[in-house]
């Protein structure tokens, strides 16, 4: 790919936080700058001080040992992230504070205080030990969004077992692959899970996967539904029985700071999933600090990150980050549209959620469903909103800010990856204005740049490749079982820097706009166009609710722009008018050559558009390639094969 990504769209006007929010924010712009500067000039001093806010069983000899591409943070120190998330908070007097408030899809609510959660985790840790799990063993979790998912993760962390959470919506084949790749001896699953009122037989899928994963020895089964799943003698154990019998005494294992905490397979928008490995100490410090600062946590917040624990966002911001900060989190089992699109807002009202962190794909769905759903509820408890997972279109950003936030709540757009472990770019709420569609400034210790393939920095305003020029604590340590792939993918593409795989540009205020994956950037007549910009223009049209743009090989232009659009209820569209709209918004270059009207887009189970399939449709090819991470394979069959006129 060449260096430059052109763009012609207007930068969005900054949106300032209210004076009220700014006055109560824990960091202002000046404080951010001082901290950021120190994190650049004296990284070891900076990170050492932050790490001291947490508990270590023994101290480090050095904060950082960096031998590209391998970093060690808090070298030689011993700690335990579950101890820090639970025992430490209970010891500090938070035993009676709510740690997890969980709501089932059927409306059932369960609450765990810090003391109660700690007891469950201790019992679960003993259960794992009784099953023969030892430090360093991998344990796969295949669970719905139920409190036991968090308990199981923390129990693994407590004994030094490495958890590998596989999203409960994944297929048998995807699960078997991941068990086999991680060589897990133990699988923790549930009899079933609820999804849009229906029961999904998780245990049945787990049994099928087990038949293809010889390495598996034991299965712990949480009873979520009717406890009626067939159990295999000698292999399967009910979680509740085992926990009831296990001791509630357990001392957290002191672990080396670099001891692997978990493996997590990335969502696979771009190809074969890879097992990203995170460490204990660095990941702990990174998620602790970013949760505290980006979400400006206050003592009485109820923090709701809607991500499933099957994704890194669920790991870092449903479980570890908030609990490390002694916060109360809300966890929800089901679909956002069950029984209707008002579910989230009903929950915000009933539980008095104050911080909400969700994904653009969800925001666009809410937008499509209409303002009347949030309009029925009192959302005044909200004070801060966050977005993650994809570039957020300015249109969706503004809707979120206005309709959900009531124009009162800052919106933090957070850019990061499974690989980065914690938030890398955002605008700290209260300290900086946000620019819709733009992630923003680097977090502490993050040293980003926009460069060419050769590693030369491009000028402000010009597009290029997003890289990070030095290691940060919560950086991935390797790809499970394939360190060569780690070195090549992340540190081997561009000399001396971490390559994120995303295209981006920086404005004169230092704000970084992530334009999407480099593979998704188009080359039209020698000009580089970000898919996200064209998509945002399309979504800006009154009749379009969602759009995906891909390139199609074109003899004359190199690539032609092809758009797939979803229409708002009751709307029709004239292709010529849409083309003209894009032309006016961005420029004639971005004008789509073909526009397909679709009723759904192919997405990963985490809600991201899988453009590689759309590229095949646009080029008139048969759809091929790995479909295991696709949410709904039938979407591919339903895609129109002829463009709209
Ligand atoms: P795979 O790497 O397996 O193809 P993935 O990249 O979708 O899957 P994640 O690690 O969950 O898996 O997603 C990280 C990517 O999501 C980023 O590299 C970026 O492309 C996109 N992303 C996440 N947050 C933002 C954001 N706030 N703005 C723009 N892009 C974002
Ligand atoms: Mg990725």
């Amino acid at each position: 790919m060449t260096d430059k990504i052109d763009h012609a769209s207007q930068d969005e006007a900054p949106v300032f936080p209210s004076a009220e929010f700014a006055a109560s924010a824990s960091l202002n712009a000046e404080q951010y700058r001082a901290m950021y500067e120190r994190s650049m000039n004296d990284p070891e001093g900076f990170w050492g001080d932050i790490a001291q806010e947490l508990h270590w069983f023994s101290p480090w000899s050095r904060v950082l040992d960096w031998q590209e591409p391998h970093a060690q943070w808090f070298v030689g120190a011993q700690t335990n992230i579950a101890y820090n998330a639970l025992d430490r908070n209970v010891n500090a007097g938070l035993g009676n504070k709510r740690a997890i408030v969980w709501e089932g899809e059927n409306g059932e609510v369960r609450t765990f205080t810090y003391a109660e959660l700690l007891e469950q985790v201790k019992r679960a840790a003993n259960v794992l030990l009784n099953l023969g799990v030892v430090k360093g063993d991998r344990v796969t979790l295949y669970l719905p969004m139920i409190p036991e998912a968090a308990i199981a993760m923390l129990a693994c962390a407590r004994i030094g077992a490495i958890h590998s959470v596989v999203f409960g919506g994944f297929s048998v084949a995807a699960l078997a692959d991941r068990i086999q790749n991680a060589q897990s001896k133990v699988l923790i699953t549930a009899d079933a899970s609820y999804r849009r009122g229906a029961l999904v037989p998780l245990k049945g899928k787990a049994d099928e996967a087990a038949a293809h994963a010889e390495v598996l020895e034991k299965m712990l089964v949480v009873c979520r539904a009717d406890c009626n799943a067939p159990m295999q003698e000698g292999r399967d154990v009910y979680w509740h029985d085992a926990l009831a019998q296990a001791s509630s005494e357990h001392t957290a294992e002191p672990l080396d700071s670099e001891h692997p905490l978990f493996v997590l397979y990335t969502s696979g928008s771009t190809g074969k999933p890879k097992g990203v490995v995170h460490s204990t100490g660095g990941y702990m410090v990174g998620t602790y600090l970013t949760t505290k600062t980006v979400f400006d946590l206050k003592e009485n917040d109820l923090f709701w990150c809607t991500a499933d624990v099957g994704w890194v966002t669920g790991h870092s911001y449903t479980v570890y980050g908030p609990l490390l900060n002694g916060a109360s989190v809300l966890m929800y089992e089901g679909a956002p549209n069950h029984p209707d699109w008002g579910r989230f807002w009903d929950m915000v009202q009933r539980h008095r959620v104050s911080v909400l962190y969700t994904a653009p794909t969800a925001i666009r769905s809410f937008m499509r469903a209409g303002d009347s759903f949030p309009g029925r509820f009192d959302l005044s408890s909200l004070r801060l909103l966050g977005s993650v997972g994809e570039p957020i279109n300015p249109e969706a950003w503004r809707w979120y800010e206005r309709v959900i936030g009531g124009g009162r709540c800052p919106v933090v757009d957070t850019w990061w990856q499974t690989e980065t472990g914690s938030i890398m770019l955002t605008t700290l709420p209260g300290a900086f204005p946000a620019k819709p569609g733009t992630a923003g400034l680097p977090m502490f210790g993050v040293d980003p740049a926009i460069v060419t393939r050769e590693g030369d920095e491009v000028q402000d305003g010009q597009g290029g490749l997003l890289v990070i020029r030095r290691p940060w604590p919560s950086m991935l340590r390797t790809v499970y079982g394939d360190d060569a792939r780690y070195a090549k993918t992340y540190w081997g593409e561009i000399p001396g820097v971490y390559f994120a795989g995303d295209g981006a540009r920086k404005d004169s205020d230092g704000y970084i706009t992530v334009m999407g994956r480099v593979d998704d950037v188009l080359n039209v007549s020698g000009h580089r166009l970000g898919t996200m910009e064209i998509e945002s223009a399309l979504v800006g049209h009154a009749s379009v609710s969602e759009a995906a743009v891909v390139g199609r090989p074109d003899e004359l232009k190199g690539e032609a722009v092809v758009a797939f659009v979803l229409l708002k209820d009751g709307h029709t569209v004239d292709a010529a008018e849409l083309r003209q709209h894009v032309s006016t918004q961005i420029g004639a270059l971005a004008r789509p050559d073909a526009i397909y009207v679709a009723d759904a887009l192919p997405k990963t189970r985490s809600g991201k558009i899988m453009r590689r399939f759309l590229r095949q449709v646009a080029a008139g090819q048969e759809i091929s390639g790995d479909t295991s991470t696709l949410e709904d394979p039938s979407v591919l069959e339903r895609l129109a094969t002829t463009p709209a006129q």
Side-chain angles (χ1 to χ4, degrees):
M1 99 146 256
T2 59
D3 328 336
K4 236 170 97 241
I5 300 174
D6 293 321
H7 72 100
S9 67
Q10 301 281 307
D11 276 325
E12 298 287 320
V15 178
F16 288 83
S18 69
E20 198 191 337
F21 190 98
S24 74
S26 52
L27 291 177
N28 62 30
E30 221 171 290
Q31 289 164 318
Y32 160 85
R33 282 197 191 97
M35 279 173 76
Y36 182 75
E37 235 162 76
R38 179 161 183 238
S39 75
M40 289 293 107
N41 300 334
D42 174 21
E44 301 203 26
F46 176 85
W47 287 115
D49 284 357
I50 299 292
Q52 291 294 357
E53 295 177 24
L54 297 160
H55 181 81
W56 301 79
F57 297 110
S58 63
W60 47 86
S61 56
R62 287 191 64 178
V63 170
L64 170 65
D65 179 359
W66 174 228
Q67 321 235 341
E68 193 189 318
H70 295 117
Q72 290 184 56
W73 285 89
F74 313 108
V75 184
Q78 292 198 310
T79 189
N80 186 294
I81 192 169
Y83 179 93
N84 272 287
L86 300 174
D87 309 58
R88 190 177 120 268
N89 287 321
V90 170
N91 295 344
L94 298 184
N96 292 326
K97 182 173 178 175
R98 296 179 306 172
I100 296 180
V101 180
W102 171 82
E103 181 163 312
E105 200 185 65
N106 57 2
E108 184 186 346
V109 173
R110 287 161 74 194
T111 300
F112 294 80
T113 63
Y114 271 89
E116 288 164 347
L117 190 61
L118 174 57
E119 195 206 308
Q120 291 289 307
V121 170
K122 285 181 172 177
R123 287 179 183 275
N126 284 322
V127 167
L128 291 173
L129 292 171
N130 294 342
L131 288 178
V133 177
V134 298
K135 181 170 138 185
D137 281 354
R138 278 77 54 210
V139 173
T140 298
L141 276 58
Y142 185 58
L143 287 166
M145 273 295 273
I146 52 178
E148 285 79 3
I151 294 167
M153 289 164 74
L154 290 158
C156 287
R158 202 169 170 88
I159 65 170
I162 302 165
H163 58 71
S164 165
V165 184
V166 177
F167 174 54
F170 270 132
S171 64
V172 170
L175 173 61
D177 255 17
R178 286 159 174 73
I179 294 173
Q180 210 48 41
N181 183 278
Q183 292 285 298
S184 296
K185 286 193 299 194
V186 174
L187 174 67
I188 307 180
T189 188
D191 57 346
S193 73
Y194 286 98
R195 197 72 189 169
R196 295 195 179 92
L199 270 184
V200 183
L202 275 192
K203 172 69 163 64
K205 295 209 260 174
D207 285 338
E208 276 185 66
H212 300 281
E214 305 82 52
V215 49
L216 205 69
E217 291 169 12
K218 296 279 177 194
M219 219 188 270
L220 256 176
V221 183
V222 179
C223 172
R224 164 63 191 127
D226 51 13
C227 310
N228 239 338
M231 299 288 278
Q232 184 177 312
E233 187 73 37
R235 186 195 67 185
D236 303 350
V237 181
Y238 269 121
W239 165 276
H240 294 95
D241 295 342
L243 257 75
Q245 284 160 23
S247 160
S248 60
E249 297 295 320
H250 180 267
T251 308
E253 178 86 19
L255 300 168
D256 190 276
S257 173
E258 283 302 317
H259 184 71
L261 173 64
F262 64 84
V263 182
L264 182 60
Y265 293 85
T266 55
S267 63
S269 320
T270 47
K272 233 189 162 19
K274 38 189 179 287
V276 166
V277 178
H278 279 286
S279 73
T280 299
Y283 175 84
M284 174 173 81
V285 172
T287 52
Y288 164 75
L289 180 65
T290 49
T291 310
K292 179 173 163 167
T293 54
V294 176
F295 300 106
D296 189 41
L297 278 188
K298 307 278 188 241
E299 211 179 309
N300 294 323
D301 272 325
L302 181 62
F303 182 84
W304 186 16
C305 164
T306 68
D308 192 282
V309 290
W311 313 120
V312 73
T313 308
H315 281 58
S316 301
Y317 299 106
T318 301
V319 180
Y320 290 115
L323 296 181
L324 285 167
N325 279 282
S328 301
V329 304
L330 179 66
M331 195 171 173
Y332 170 54
E333 176 185 41
N337 58 348
H338 187 83
D340 63 32
W341 286 105
R343 181 59 182 261
F344 272 27
W345 320 124
D346 183 19
M347 287 179 62
V348 166
Q349 172 180 295
R350 275 188 291 110
H351 296 287
R352 308 240 12 108
V353 172
S354 53
V355 182
L356 176 69
Y357 189 33
T358 194
T361 179
I363 297 167
R364 288 190 300 264
S365 301
F366 292 132
M367 210 172 132
R368 184 158 66 235
D371 296 9
S372 65
F373 289 104
R376 297 206 306 262
F377 299 97
D378 172 11
L379 306 182
S380 63
S381 57
L382 289 172
R383 58 178 202 86
L384 178 60
L385 304 174
S387 170
V388 61
E390 278 180 287
I392 177 165
N393 327 77
E395 193 74 15
W397 193 102
R398 280 190 292 266
W399 183 88
Y400 193 33
E401 199 261 349
R402 179 175 55 83
V403 179
I404 304 306
R408 178 184 75 245
C409 309
V411 175
V412 289
D413 178 2
T414 61
W415 176 85
W416 59 294
Q417 311 177 291
T418 307
E419 295 89 338
T420 70
S422 62
I423 295 167
M424 300 293 275
L425 301 174
T426 194
T427 41
L428 283 187
F432 295 98
K435 298 182 190 178
T438 290
L441 299 168
M443 279 307 295
F444 308 114
V446 175
D447 185 12
I450 316 295
V451 304
T452 64
R453 268 279 157 204
E454 290 67 46
D456 302 319
E457 253 188 283
V458 304
Q459 281 175 2
D460 282 357
Q462 280 199 350
L465 311 176
L466 176 57
V467 299
I468 315 291
R469 295 182 286 200
R470 60 171 89 183
W472 62 98
S474 67
M475 166 177 113
L476 81 162
R477 295 301 192 261
T478 189
V479 169
Y480 194 80
D482 196 351
D483 195 56
R485 184 171 179 195
Y486 161 74
K488 180 173 176 297
T489 310
Y490 302 105
W491 293 91
E493 289 283 326
I494 300 171
V497 296
Y498 169 90
F499 176 43
D502 287 339
R505 65 166 184 271
K506 184 163 76 181
D507 70 13
S508 52
D509 295 328
Y511 279 42
I512 293 174
T513 304
V514 178
M515 304 164 78
R517 290 181 180 70
V518 169
D519 303 353
D520 292 340
V521 170
L522 312 184
N523 185 351
V524 181
S525 307
H527 298 266
R528 295 259 150 201
L529 296 169
T531 46
M532 125 88 158
E533 246 161 342
I534 309 176
E535 288 160 10
S536 293
L538 287 162
V539 173
H541 186 276
S543 55
V544 176
S545 63
E546 186 154 18
V549 164
V550 296
R552 177 182 68 201
D554 184 279
E555 257 174 48
L556 281 180
K557 296 192 269 194
E559 270 183 302
V561 177
V562 175
F564 292 78
V565 297
L566 264 59
L567 301 181
K568 289 186 188 155
D569 268 353
H571 286 250
T572 53
V573 81
D574 175 37
E577 184 191 319
L578 264 187
R579 282 198 191 94
Q580 186 50 43
H581 174 78
V582 173
S583 205
T584 319
Q585 294 288 308
I586 305 181
L589 267 177
R591 193 186 178 91
D593 272 42
I595 295 176
Y596 292 79
V597 176
D599 64 1
L601 296 170
K603 288 186 180 172
T604 62
R605 285 160 208 270
S606 55
K608 298 184 196 202
I609 299 167
M610 293 177 91
R611 291 189 182 73
R612 60 190 160 94
F613 296 125
L614 296 176
R615 275 195 287 271
Q616 294 168 344
V617 173
Q621 297 163 355
E622 288 273 313
I623 290 175
S624 62
D626 183 0
T627 55
S628 68
T629 57
L630 199 63
E631 188 191 12
D632 174 7
S634 76
V635 168
L636 294 180
E637 290 145 31
R638 300 206 308 273
L639 278 174
T641 48
T642 47
Q645 288 312 305

